[in-house]
Amino acid sequence: MANEEDLFEIELAGIERTLGRDLGDTAYDVEFDCTRGNAIVHITVSLDADTVTTTEIVPFAMSDLHRAFAALADQTKAWRIDPGQSLRPAGQ
């Protein structure tokens, strides 16, 4: 488990049902606000309304949120700069 200061505070910001071009084409847009120190992330997960029941909306959105952050963490791991790490070559 991560240290307390490394954890994000994740809040469910809202759920909105959106209609597509065809009235039968609907989705649930589930919005999350994630904050940690100076980092603020607002993310929307869209679910096909025909694939989830009302009680499954939030759990499925949370699962998609997890997969999105895991992929993002893996994709950007080379960008990490540890505290105290210098961007200059040694000796400069």
Side-chain angles (χ1 to χ4, degrees):
M1 186 73 175
N3 294 331
E4 185 70 25
E5 63 270 3
D6 291 335
L7 296 177
F8 276 84
E9 181 177 320
I10 303 171
E11 294 182 13
L12 177 63
I15 301 172
E16 187 174 319
R17 187 172 184 167
T18 58
L19 297 174
R21 292 184 194 136
D22 302 327
L23 291 179
D25 182 26
T26 60
Y28 292 110
D29 292 331
V30 184
E31 299 176 0
F32 295 95
D33 287 328
C34 309
T35 57
R36 182 185 77 182
N38 294 332
I40 300 170
V41 178
H42 180 80
I43 189 165
T44 301
V45 176
S46 294
L47 302 171
D48 183 348
D50 293 333
T51 63
V52 294
T53 65
T54 303
T55 59
E56 294 174 330
I57 296 169
V58 173
F60 273 82
M62 291 167 60
S63 179
D64 281 357
L65 176 69
H66 166 73
R67 283 195 295 278
F69 273 126
L72 186 61
D74 188 53
Q75 183 178 344
T76 61
K77 65 185 169 189
W79 299 358
R80 180 181 174 116
I81 301 171
D82 292 318
Q85 182 180 350
S86 176
L87 296 179
R88 297 181 198 146
Q92 289 187 0

